């Protein structure tokens, strides 16, 4: 009986660890889409001022990327009807849209991230 319990426990542990997606805690995720002017402005701003940071842009029109964005929206308790791009994930904070207030918030939150190491 102990042996069966041990096998089930190990199997369940392996299954759960495989289900957990590895998230880089020093990476900023930017969900965007083609034709989004605010997304273009956010990209240009980040490329100009924060090019040494680990910023991953994710096109929500490709593959399962929309589902990833929806998972983050659920995590932050955002109604799907109110969800827009760019949708920026910065650790345990998010920014939606791009304008003066969002730029200010981005600049404040990026202080919690480290630039990429130059090799």
């Amino acid at each position: 009986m102990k042996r069966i319990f041990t096998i089930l426990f190990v199997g369940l542990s392996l299954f759960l660890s495989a289900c957990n997606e590895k998230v880089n805690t020093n990476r900023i995720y930017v969900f965007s889409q083609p034709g989004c002017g605010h997304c273009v402005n956010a990209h240009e701003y980040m490329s100009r001022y924060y090019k040494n940071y680990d910023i991953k842009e994710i096109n929500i029109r490709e593959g399962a990327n929309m589902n990833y964005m929806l998972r983050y929206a659920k995590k932050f308790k955002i109604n799907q009807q109110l969800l827009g791009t760019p949708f920026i994930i910065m650790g345990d904070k998010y920014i939606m849209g791009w304008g003066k207030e969002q730029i200010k918030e981005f600049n404040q939150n990026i202080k919690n991230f480290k630039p990429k190491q130059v090799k």
Side-chain angles (χ1 to χ4, degrees):
M1 187 67 158
K2 263 187 180 180
R3 180 182 253 180
I4 292 172
F5 178 73
T6 303
I7 291 170
L8 286 174
F9 179 75
V10 170
L12 182 62
S13 297
L14 289 173
F15 174 75
L16 291 176
S17 66
C19 291
N20 288 336
E21 181 179 310
K22 282 200 169 196
V23 176
N24 184 336
T25 57
N26 195 52
R27 179 175 286 165
I28 297 164
Y29 298 90
V30 181
F31 291 94
S32 63
Q33 61 183 320
C36 169
H38 294 295
C39 298
V40 170
N41 293 338
H43 170 79
E44 289 173 355
Y45 183 86
M46 291 175 208
S47 295
R48 181 175 183 184
Y49 296 106
Y50 298 105
K51 61 185 170 196
N52 294 330
Y53 285 78
D54 189 3
I55 300 173
K56 181 174 182 173
E57 293 192 47
I58 303 167
N59 181 344
I60 63 169
R61 302 290 180 202
E62 294 178 354
N65 293 342
M66 175 64 96
N67 290 332
Y68 294 134
M69 185 172 84
L70 293 174
R71 280 199 287 182
Y72 275 110
K74 187 175 182 179
K75 173 185 174 184
F76 290 110
K77 297 178 173 70
I78 300 170
N79 184 327
Q80 287 184 20
Q81 279 75 31
L82 302 176
L83 191 58
T85 56
F87 183 53
I88 304 163
I89 307 301
M90 302 179 81
D92 62 351
K93 298 186 180 0
Y94 75 90
I95 298 170
M96 191 166 26
W98 196 254
K100 289 180 183 178
E101 287 300 314
Q102 288 85 358
I103 291 170
K104 182 179 175 183
E105 191 175 351
F106 184 87
N107 290 336
Q108 184 64 36
N109 289 334
I110 203 158
K111 294 174 185 175
N112 298 320
F113 294 83
K114 298 175 187 168
K116 292 188 275 189
Q117 298 292 327
V118 179
K119 294 180 181 179

